[in-house]
Amino acid sequence: MIQLEDLRLIEALSQSASLSAAARMLNVTPPALSTRLRKLEATLGLALATRTSRQLSLTAEGERLAREGSALLAQLEALPESFRHEDKRLTGTLRISAPFGYGRHHVAPVLARFGLLHPELTLQFDLRETPWPDKHDSDAVIHVGTVRDSSWIARPLAPNDRWLCASPAYLQRHGVPPDPQALLQHRCICIRENDEDVTLWRFRRPAKAAVKSSAKSTATPGRQTTRDSVRVVPACTTNDGSVAREWAEQGLGLVLRSEWDTREAVAAGRLVRVLADWDFESAPVTLLVPTRRGRTARLQALMAFLEDALAAMAPARNPSRPSRPSR
């Protein structure tokens, strides 16, 4: 007979790249985990996983057991809450993942306030380089940027424009690009994140401001905007957006970075926003949850709290355009 520990075992294996990682998740030793896996396979008469010294992957039967077992575990975890119609206290554990920069500066303070409101709730907050699709065992994932190929349910949390910025010193030395095509003659700082094409910078501009350009362009009849893109040549590349912004502040080049991370530097004069007539492809903040049905009360409360808090923190639209520095 399959036990609850067996379901937790196969769930951990489905979320880990190795036996060692799964063992750490379950707080057991790798030999003990390997023994439990062999015992479960003997009980079922099936091979559930293939493993080497460095890598582990589930068989088709293992994936099915993990999928159906995870659903059963979620139902069992939510069962006590179904009997608490009058009790508004939230209990149990919520596991949230977010990207490092936005998670540290925006999500963590919101979760602190949420935790104070619900002291019997355990919060597990993981900052990751790519929280999506590396969702692991998360109940909710906060994603910055376009969501592609997601089977999870997406809830918008806050808008987030991308601003093209450079330091005043850089613009003094190299001049202000008059249009996106001019970026080909500038030093550009690129950020590797979310498997995006980091050197293809997409933008829109009002049709009335359109000028002749050799940049790739597609206009939709009846629309008041023109969509363009330019393939920049990176002078510097990093997988950390905060590092990219700091490099731009130090004069290394132009950076295309989220408004939430650049607004303060622009206001302080460390960066200058350029090409403000163009709207570069935005990176909205989105909350991802696995399913519409069977949500626990604690997850529903978290979703509502995040939506209200992060929407209130979003900057006002139509910011004033900074002036160009003198040459």
Side-chain angles (χ1 to χ4, degrees), residues 141-297:
V141 174
I142 294 171
H143 178 78
V144 179
T146 303
V147 179
R148 297 181 176 88
D149 301 326
S150 171
S151 60
W152 283 27
I153 307 302
R155 300 282 291 269
L157 291 178
N160 178 38
D161 292 340
R162 282 189 174 115
W163 285 5
L164 183 66
C165 300
S167 71
Y170 174 87
L171 296 176
Q172 288 283 355
R173 293 195 304 270
H174 301 279
V176 178
D179 55 58
Q181 186 66 20
L183 296 177
L184 297 175
Q185 281 72 52
H186 278 264
R187 294 178 57 85
C188 296
I189 303 169
C190 293
I191 307 168
R192 301 189 311 272
E193 56 185 358
N194 301 329
D195 297 323
E196 293 182 358
D197 188 347
V198 299
T199 62
L200 186 65
W201 289 2
R202 300 181 179 87
F203 54 90
R204 296 180 307 176
R205 56 186 169 181
K208 63 181 180 180
V211 295
K212 292 183 179 180
S213 172
S214 57
K216 182 181 178 181
S217 173
T218 58
T220 304
R223 297 286 182 90
Q224 296 302 309
T225 59
T226 301
R227 295 180 179 180
D228 302 86
S229 64
V230 61
R231 176 76 67 181
V232 301
V233 179
C236 305
T237 306
T238 176
N239 66 340
D240 189 298
S242 296
V243 169
R245 188 205 69 243
E246 291 169 1
W247 281 353
E249 291 180 18
Q250 294 163 11
L252 268 69
L254 290 144
V255 68
L256 185 60
R257 180 66 178 145
S258 292
E259 177 183 357
W260 71 262
D261 192 38
T262 53
R263 175 173 286 274
E264 181 180 344
V266 170
R270 299 191 302 273
L271 289 176
V272 175
R273 187 184 176 194
V274 300
L275 295 182
D277 289 336
W278 282 262
D279 295 323
F280 286 82
E281 186 177 37
S282 65
V285 182
T286 305
L287 177 66
L288 297 163
V289 293
T291 178
R292 296 182 188 277
R293 302 180 60 184
R295 290 175 185 162
T296 61

Side-chain angles (χ1 to χ4, degrees), residues 17 19 37 41 47-52 55-59:
L19 275 174
L37 176 57
E41 289 177 324
L48 298 175
T50 57
R51 55 268 197 196
T52 66
Q55 194 171 16
L56 175 142
S57 60
L58 294 182
T59 63

Side-chain angles (χ1 to χ4, degrees), residues 31-169:
L33 186 66
S34 182
T35 299
R36 286 172 53 184
L37 176 57
R38 288 196 299 269
K39 183 178 178 180
L40 178 57
E41 289 177 324
T43 299
L44 297 175
L46 296 170
L48 298 175
T50 57
R51 55 268 197 196
T52 66
S53 59
R54 294 185 177 181
Q55 194 171 16
L56 175 142
S57 60
L58 294 182
T59 63
E61 291 78 8
E63 290 178 352
R64 177 186 172 188
L65 181 60
R67 183 171 58 252
E68 298 183 7
S70 294
L72 288 172
L73 288 171
Q75 292 177 19
L76 287 171
E77 187 178 4
L79 186 60
E81 294 192 27
S82 66
F83 294 100
R84 300 191 183 113
H85 297 293
E86 302 301 327
D87 190 352
K88 301 301 182 182
R89 293 177 301 174
L90 298 182
T91 61
T93 301
L94 270 176
R95 299 159 296 189
I96 307 104
S97 296
F100 281 103
Y102 190 84
R104 183 180 300 112
H105 293 287
H106 285 65
V107 182
V110 173
L111 290 181
R113 299 201 301 271
F114 185 73
L116 289 173
L117 292 174
H118 306 286
E120 296 183 41
L121 188 64
T122 300
L123 297 177
Q124 179 180 316
F125 186 41
D126 292 328
L127 296 176
R128 306 181 188 276
E129 182 179 328
T130 54
W132 184 265
D134 300 337
K135 51 190 178 295
H136 297 276
D137 57 348
S138 301
D139 297 308
V141 174
I142 294 171
H143 178 78
V144 179
T146 303
V147 179
R148 297 181 176 88
D149 301 326
S150 171
S151 60
W152 283 27
I153 307 302
R155 300 282 291 269
L157 291 178
N160 178 38
D161 292 340
R162 282 189 174 115
W163 285 5
L164 183 66
C165 300
S167 71

